[in-house]
């Protein structure tokens, strides 16, 4: 199983979405189209205006105001990170016997501007 999260994509940036409207896309995305056709499409996921709260919502299933990842946006002195005690998606998969791995930009840890993933979040 794989989950692809791409920041700064509009809802119609994948060419299969434009084709579904009966129009020809400006940019072709054949690999993303193939991945999408072979998997499950989550088409009604609402994101936050920046990336970290969006990832926190997806990983935890909670509204972003309940994840701790928006504090820095409002100038609070609290850590802006997912609490390590919060159950997240990889924990559920591990309980089912899956191995988990995360690659790319994460920024859910307590270290400011960290791109690493703490062991508790994978």
């Amino acid at each position: 199983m794989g989950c692809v999260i791409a920041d700064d994509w509009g809802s119609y940036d994948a060419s299969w979405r434009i084709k579904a409207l009966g129009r020809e896309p400006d940019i072709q995305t054949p690999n993303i189209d193939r991945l999408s056709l072979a998997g499950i499409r989550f088409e009604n996921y609402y994101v936050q205006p920046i990336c970290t709260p969006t990832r926190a919502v997806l990983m935890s299933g909670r509204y972003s105001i309940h994840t701790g990842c928006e504090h820095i946006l409002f100038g609070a002195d609290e850590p802006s990170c997912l609490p390590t005690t919060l159950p997240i998606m990889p924990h559920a998969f591990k309980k089912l016997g899956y191995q988990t791995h995360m690659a790319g930009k994460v920024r859910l840890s307590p270290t400011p501007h960290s791109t690493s993933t703490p062991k508790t979040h994978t």
Side-chain angles (χ1 to χ4, degrees), residues 104-120:
K105 184 175 85 171
V106 180
R107 293 200 178 132
L108 297 175
S109 68
T111 308
H113 308 294
S114 172
T115 56
S116 64
T117 306
K119 288 285 184 198
T120 55

Side-chain angles (χ1 to χ4, degrees), residues 2-46:
C3 180
V4 178
I5 303 170
D7 288 344
D8 299 324
W9 266 61
S11 62
Y12 289 95
D13 286 346
S15 58
W16 69 268
R17 297 277 307 216
I18 295 293
K19 290 175 185 175
L21 296 175
R23 301 193 331 236
E24 193 58 35
D26 294 330
I27 299 171
Q28 299 294 325
T29 57
N31 294 326
I32 290 173
D33 294 355
R34 274 193 295 277
L35 280 171
S36 172
L37 288 172
I40 298 171
R41 296 176 180 167
F42 294 97
E43 300 180 59
N44 293 313
Y45 178 72
Y46 299 98

